[in-house]
Amino acid sequence: MCAHLLRPPCVLDHFAGYYLNHSESGIPADKLAAFLMQWALEYFKCGKYYRERIYYTDAQLEQWLKKSGIEGVGLNCLYPFLVRTRKWYFFLNYELLLYFAVQAIVRIENVENYSKITADIACEESKLLVFLDKADPKRFRKEILSLEIHCFLNKLNLDSSEEVVLSFIKYFNPDFSLTWLKRSNSFETAIESSGDVFVEELIRFMGIRFEVIGLEDFFYKDCYREDDPVKYKKYRQGYRNLYNRLLLVFGLMDENGKLLESTDEEFHLNLYQFAKDLENYQALKEVGMEEYILGIYREIQSKLDEYMVVN
């Protein structure tokens, strides 16, 4: 097993290689490794909330071993990869579990299956991307990172800065709920849904600080952060216009600028539908959203070029 690992030597490689090749059970290392890889992959494929409650009994593990062609050796053959409490077996630690799952994924020859399983798991466990990149960087960056990010970039409209921003927002398509807080003259916001979580994870994998959920901060002036004091003052001043636009859209202000009765009602806002109106877009621009998204767009292009140079 150790000689066939698809990554440079590291602590996990040495640990796995040593105990697979020095098992007292007499099971061939490759056969035991195949069992552990399949077991770990199934663990991640079963879903996040189910995984939190996964433990295995003696009978269940014996059945799994039998299906893998391993019989008559006892469950001690799984030590130290799996350890037991009084009644249950579980992996020694989470990183080792993730390690074996990744070793299973990199052996998937079909590109479509390789990409799909990666996307399904990474949307709940982003560490998978780091492990995959270390296991087989050339394949991961070519068949997943480059392919997915280029697909995303190709869907952006580059005719103008405004079109880049609008198409960026449309791609992720976030929905927000907003509640008007009349006493503080501000909105309380929460994200309800967004689009392609996998691309979002890949963007963060490249070291870019971006979360779709972070766009909600632009609707709440007290959450606004800007290190440049000049920009901070400039964009803080833009909230009056943005709030007036939102109040009009939600029917909380009449055309004369008079606020109507306060309400605790939550209002639902699709960011793209709101932003594609020229006046609304200008209001978002005045609080810094355009500059922020254009900065993320440029950083994605730059980082992708760096990551495609694989040593």
Side-chain angles (χ1 to χ4, degrees), residues 1-17 99 102-103 106-107 130-139 141 310-311:
M1 167 69 176
C2 190
H4 302 291
L5 294 176
L6 301 179
R7 59 182 293 180
C10 69
V11 172
L12 288 175
D13 285 329
H14 289 307
F15 180 88
Y99 168 82
V102 165
Q103 291 300 320
V106 296
R107 285 165 171 78
V130 177
F131 276 62
L132 268 177
D133 187 56
K134 289 182 178 179
D136 191 352
K138 187 174 182 180
R139 184 184 186 192
R141 298 182 189 193
V310 181
N311 294 325

Side-chain angles (χ1 to χ4, degrees), residues 137 145 184 299:
L145 184 63
S184 59
E299 197 172 359

Side-chain angles (χ1 to χ4, degrees), residues 19-68:
Y19 282 103
L20 286 169
N21 288 288
H22 293 80
S23 172
E24 296 181 0
S25 65
I27 302 173
D30 287 349
K31 198 169 187 178
L32 182 55
F35 167 79
L36 292 168
M37 286 189 284
Q38 188 60 34
W39 195 87
L41 183 59
E42 290 299 322
Y43 175 90
F44 282 102
K45 286 168 66 176
C46 71
K48 177 180 179 181
Y49 298 105
Y50 179 58
R51 288 202 306 267
E52 292 174 351
R53 300 188 295 274
I54 278 194
Y55 297 93
Y56 288 91
T57 63
D58 293 36
Q60 287 173 314
L61 282 175
E62 286 170 357
Q63 186 178 14
W64 268 63
L65 286 169
K66 186 175 180 180
K67 287 182 180 179
S68 301

Side-chain angles (χ1 to χ4, degrees), residues 36-249:
L36 292 168
M37 286 189 284
Q38 188 60 34
W39 195 87
L41 183 59
E42 290 299 322
Y43 175 90
F44 282 102
K45 286 168 66 176
C46 71
K48 177 180 179 181
Y49 298 105
Y50 179 58
R51 288 202 306 267
E52 292 174 351
R53 300 188 295 274
I54 278 194
Y55 297 93
Y56 288 91
T57 63
D58 293 36
Q60 287 173 314
L61 282 175
E62 286 170 357
Q63 186 178 14
W64 268 63
L65 286 169
K66 186 175 180 180
K67 287 182 180 179
S68 301
I70 303 174
E71 295 185 76
V73 293
L75 296 181
N76 286 337
C77 70
L78 300 176
Y79 180 85
F81 305 108
L82 272 73
V83 293
R84 67 172 300 170
T85 58
R86 291 181 180 178
K87 296 182 178 180
W88 307 101
Y89 282 85
F90 53 92
F91 252 85
L92 177 63
N93 62 51
Y94 187 76
E95 284 70 24
L96 190 62
L97 181 65
L98 189 58
Y99 168 82
F100 277 111
V102 165
Q103 291 300 320
I105 292 172
V106 296
R107 285 165 171 78
I108 298 173
E109 295 182 0
N110 182 277
V111 176
E112 185 177 345
N113 291 341
Y114 169 72
S115 299
K116 184 180 185 307
I117 289 176
T118 297
D120 289 345
I121 298 176
C123 288
E124 293 183 347
E125 179 46 84
S126 59
K127 286 182 180 179
L128 179 83
L129 302 178
V130 177
F131 276 62
L132 268 177
D133 187 56
K134 289 182 178 179
D136 191 352
K138 187 174 182 180
R139 184 184 186 192
F140 169 73
R141 298 182 189 193
K142 178 183 178 182
E143 296 181 7
I144 292 182
L145 184 63
S146 177
L147 197 64
E148 293 290 339
I149 295 297
H150 274 119
C151 182
F152 159 65
L153 293 174
N154 288 338
K155 291 183 179 180
L156 301 184
N157 186 334
L158 307 183
D159 289 346
S160 66
S161 295
E162 180 180 337
E163 291 299 335
V164 170
V165 172
L166 285 173
S167 54
F168 185 101
I169 293 172
K170 185 178 182 180
Y171 182 87
F172 290 105
N173 200 32
D175 290 308
F176 298 104
S177 63
L178 292 88
T179 304
W180 175 242
L181 306 176
K182 191 174 182 180
R183 289 185 178 181
S184 59
N185 289 318
S186 64
F187 277 97
E188 183 177 76
T189 65
I191 192 166
E192 294 181 335
S193 65
S194 63
D196 198 328
V197 177
F198 186 44
V199 167
E200 186 180 347
E201 291 291 353
L202 289 171
I203 290 172
R204 286 198 291 271
F205 164 78
M206 294 190 291
I208 299 170
R209 296 178 61 185
F210 170 71
E211 288 184 296
V212 175
I213 191 174
L215 294 174
E216 71 178 2
D217 290 351
F218 286 95
F219 292 98
Y220 187 36
K221 63 182 179 182
D222 291 331
C223 278
Y224 184 77
R225 299 289 183 271
E226 173 58 64
D227 294 333
D228 186 327
V230 176
K231 287 184 179 180
Y232 178 81
K233 183 178 180 180
K234 170 188 173 183
Y235 288 140
R236 286 276 295 186
Q237 291 174 343
Y239 276 94
R240 180 175 182 180
N241 185 32
L242 175 60
Y243 285 174
N244 285 344
R245 296 302 305 168
L246 289 168
L247 291 168
L248 281 170
V249 168

